[in-house]
């Protein structure tokens, strides 16, 4: 049944009904008349909608309106509280995201001029906004004593990363790949065991300045290589791994730290070598019971 919305200034109908409204009908009438605040208005609402305007029905309608307004007020209050709670959760999550970016930036890039530094992190959903900018400033409030009033430089770092930086970069272990800060990364098709990522990273420039680069990161295990394209990244990573595996042959490891097999690998390329007793004394091998002195020069 469709009910009418009746104003407080409406004319009373000539017809009189003896029908009493149900609880559901009272709720519908109350919803249509939230501003009902007098018994005369309640009588007009009941009579115009075909109900009896006796005292009991009028009081029930007024109670229905009051109950409806109370429920609406409670719902609005709960919605406001829930909104505040949701906003607080989002704020904490954003703080965690920004803190993770700041920690990675501080571990990779130069910061902390004499006058202080500030790192501002902005989260974005636009790929084109991703970047890193350093703005140098100065103040005259840092120094005291005889240097009071002298100019002190400040470095202000403005970092813009994707909203999902922790998922896109940090959880993939790319935040400090190769010692460079990664701003964003998108995984590409792997080349065998080599992972490839289309990425934007930051290189340390002169002083506190930085250079933002775009290209491909190739990764195998803990080794990474940055290049302009996938081909150069793969080739560079292969060379890097080969050099890392061959660092013993390049003399970067002390001979005292080598195993017997590694010692042979290091020196077999020199062919036959003569070892004198003086050499054995110098390296401490003379005290070893397995040292062979046959054919050694004791002079």
């Amino acid at each position: 049944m469709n009910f009418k919305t009746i104003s407080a200034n409406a004319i009373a109908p000539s017809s009189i009904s003896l029908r009493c409204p149900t609880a559901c009908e009272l709720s519908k009438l109350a919803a249509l008349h939230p501003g009902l605040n007098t018994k005369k208005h309640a009588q007009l609402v009941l009579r115009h909608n075909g109900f009896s305007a006796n005292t009991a029905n009028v009081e029930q309608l007024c109670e229905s309106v009051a109950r409806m307004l109370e429920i609406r007020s409670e719902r609005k209050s709960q919605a406001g509280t829930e909104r505040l709670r949701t906003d607080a959760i989002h704020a904490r999550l954003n703080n965690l995201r920004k803190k993770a970016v700041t920690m990675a930036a501080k571990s990779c890039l130069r910061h902390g001029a004499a006058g202080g530094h500030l790192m501002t992190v902005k989260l974005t959903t636009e790929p084109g906004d991703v970047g890193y900018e350093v703005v140098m400033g100065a103040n005259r409030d840092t120094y005291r004593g005889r240097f009071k009033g002298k100019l002190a430089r400040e470095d202000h770092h403005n970092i813009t990363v994707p909203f999902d930086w922790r998922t896109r970069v940090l959880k993939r272990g790319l935040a400090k790949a190769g010692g460079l800060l990664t701003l964003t990364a998108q995984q590409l098709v792997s080349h065998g065991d080599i992972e490839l990522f289309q990425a934007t990273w930051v290189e340390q420039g002169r002083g506190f300045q930085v250079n933002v680069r775009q290209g491909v990161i190739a990764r195998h295990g803990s080794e990474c290589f940055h290049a302009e394209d996938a081909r150069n990244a793969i080739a560079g990573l292969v060379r890097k791994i080969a050099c890392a595996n061959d660092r013993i042959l390049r003399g970067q490891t002390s001979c005292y730290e080598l195993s017997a097999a590694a010692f042979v690998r290091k020196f077999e390329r020199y062919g036959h070598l003569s070892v004198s007793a003086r050499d054995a004394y110098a390296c401490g091998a003379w005290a070893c019971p397995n040292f062979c002195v046959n054919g050694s020069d004791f002079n």
Side-chain angles (χ1 to χ4, degrees), residues 114-127:
H117 76 281
L118 176 66
M119 286 195 173
T120 304
V121 179
K122 178 183 176 183
L123 304 176
T124 182
T125 56
E126 297 295 331

Side-chain angles (χ1 to χ4, degrees), residues 165-234:
W165 183 85
R166 291 197 303 171
T167 302
R168 185 187 293 265
V169 177
L170 185 62
K171 289 185 178 180
R172 289 175 172 170
L174 295 172
K176 298 179 285 185
L180 304 178
L181 175 66
T182 305
L183 298 178
T184 183
Q186 180 65 43
Q187 189 162 15
L188 304 175
V189 178
S190 299
H191 180 76
D193 294 335
I194 298 177
E195 297 178 284
L196 298 174
F197 301 90
Q198 188 73 39
T200 301
W201 62 87
V202 183
E203 298 176 355
Q204 183 66 63
R206 184 176 181 180
F208 294 100
Q209 297 302 318
V210 297
N211 301 315
V212 180
R213 307 293 187 193
Q214 292 183 344
V216 176
I217 300 176
R219 181 176 68 178
H220 182 272
S222 60
E223 297 291 346
C224 297
F225 193 88
H226 299 68
E228 296 80 7
D229 52 45
R231 176 176 296 180
N232 290 332
I234 294 171

Side-chain angles (χ1 to χ4, degrees), residues 39-266:
K39 291 184 177 181
K40 183 178 179 180
H41 190 191
Q43 290 175 352
L44 291 173
V45 170
L46 289 169
R47 292 184 64 181
H48 275 281
N49 286 282
F51 297 109
S52 173
N54 58 35
T55 304
N57 291 343
V58 169
E59 291 180 353
Q60 288 178 2
L61 179 57
C62 292
E63 290 175 0
S64 296
V65 172
R67 186 166 57 252
M68 181 205 65
L69 293 177
E70 183 179 356
I71 291 172
R72 287 184 178 181
S73 178
E74 289 179 358
R75 288 178 178 175
K76 187 180 293 185
S77 176
Q78 291 175 359
T81 304
E82 187 65 28
R83 192 181 303 111
L84 290 174
R85 186 181 300 113
T86 303
D87 292 343
I89 292 173
H90 288 324
R92 289 199 300 270
L93 286 175
N94 287 340
N95 288 337
L96 287 175
R97 296 182 180 112
K98 293 178 181 180
K99 184 178 180 181
V101 176
T102 301
M103 291 176 62
K106 287 184 176 181
S107 64
C108 294
L109 301 169
R110 198 175 295 124
H111 64 282
H117 76 281
L118 176 66
M119 286 195 173
T120 304
V121 179
K122 178 183 176 183
L123 304 176
T124 182
T125 56
E126 297 295 331
D129 294 341
V130 173
Y132 195 119
E133 180 185 19
V134 178
V135 179
M136 297 303 297
N139 70 74
R140 297 183 182 275
D141 302 324
T142 298
Y143 298 120
R144 293 291 183 270
R146 63 184 180 133
F147 297 105
K148 184 176 181 179
K150 296 293 184 180
L151 197 67
R153 306 294 292 177
E154 301 173 344
D155 54 302
H156 302 269
H157 302 248
N158 301 316
I159 313 170
T160 305
V161 297
F163 194 81
D164 57 348
W165 183 85
R166 291 197 303 171
T167 302
R168 185 187 293 265
V169 177
L170 185 62
K171 289 185 178 180
R172 289 175 172 170
L174 295 172
K176 298 179 285 185
L180 304 178
L181 175 66
T182 305
L183 298 178
T184 183
Q186 180 65 43
Q187 189 162 15
L188 304 175
V189 178
S190 299
H191 180 76
D193 294 335
I194 298 177
E195 297 178 284
L196 298 174
F197 301 90
Q198 188 73 39
T200 301
W201 62 87
V202 183
E203 298 176 355
Q204 183 66 63
R206 184 176 181 180
F208 294 100
Q209 297 302 318
V210 297
N211 301 315
V212 180
R213 307 293 187 193
Q214 292 183 344
V216 176
I217 300 176
R219 181 176 68 178
H220 182 272
S222 60
E223 297 291 346
C224 297
F225 193 88
H226 299 68
E228 296 80 7
D229 52 45
R231 176 176 296 180
N232 290 332
I234 294 171
L237 181 63
V238 171
R239 292 195 305 270
K240 187 174 182 179
I241 293 175
C243 291
N245 293 336
D246 199 37
R247 71 182 187 278
I248 293 176
L249 295 181
R250 294 188 291 132
Q252 293 185 355
T253 302
S254 171
C255 295
Y256 294 102
E257 299 176 3
L258 301 179
S259 63
F263 186 91
V264 172
R265 275 188 64 203
K266 182 176 179 67

Side-chain angles (χ1 to χ4, degrees), residues 260-281:
F263 186 91
V264 172
R265 275 188 64 203
K266 182 176 179 67
F267 293 103
E268 65 181 353
R269 57 180 172 171
Y270 297 106
H272 178 73
L273 295 175
S274 298
V275 180
S276 67
R278 190 182 303 275
D279 296 328
Y281 276 121

